[in-house]
Amino acid sequence: MDIFLEYLKAFAVGGVLCAIGQLLIDKTKLTPARILTAYVVAGVILGAVGLYQPLIDWAGAGASVPLTGFGNTLAKGVKEAVVSDGLLGAFTGGFTASAAGICAAIFFGVIVALLCKPREKK
């Protein structure tokens, strides 16, 4: 029963984040790219002030997998790198913390591009 609640919390939080994004697409003139950027920036801000980690602790993957979780990872990486490396860490910490996610996105993007026939929309 405990694992069911973990899944339910993750699904609920991830679903709410997705629903907010869909509402922004449907009800505003914001482009999807701007909404995605806003999600990353919101994750950075919430992570920097310490509000996002409690949500991740409670909801697990429902909060850590969406783009807000990526922003939080960037903020956390910068914080840790600044403590250990000083000012240089402000420039390198985010990349170090999110390197696996960035590499996975590039790798799978290349695989999909090789397997599919990419073309421009008409």
Side-chain angles (χ1 to χ4, degrees):
M1 188 64 174
D2 190 41
I3 192 79
F4 175 74
L5 291 177
E6 289 294 318
Y7 285 135
L8 185 63
K9 289 189 288 188
F11 179 77
V13 171
V16 166
L17 290 171
C18 290
I20 292 169
Q22 190 62 49
L23 285 172
L24 290 172
I25 289 171
D26 292 344
K27 302 294 183 185
T28 69
K29 292 184 180 186
L30 292 172
T31 63
R34 289 182 185 212
I35 294 168
L36 295 175
T37 303
Y39 266 46
V40 173
V41 171
V44 167
I45 293 169
L46 292 171
V49 297
L51 296 176
Y52 205 75
Q53 190 59 46
L55 183 62
I56 290 175
D57 294 341
W58 185 76
S64 65
V65 171
L67 284 172
T68 49
F70 177 70
N72 178 61
T73 301
L74 290 173
K76 191 185 315 181
V78 168
K79 269 187 194 178
E80 292 171 2
V82 167
V83 168
S84 66
D85 301 333
L87 182 60
L88 183 61
F91 299 104
T92 62
F95 293 114
T96 303
S98 60
I102 293 169
C103 288
I106 293 169
F107 175 76
F108 289 114
V110 169
I111 296 297
V112 169
L114 291 173
L115 295 176
C116 300
K117 263 187 164 172
R119 60 183 181 267
E120 290 184 31
K121 282 185 170 183
K122 293 182 181 181

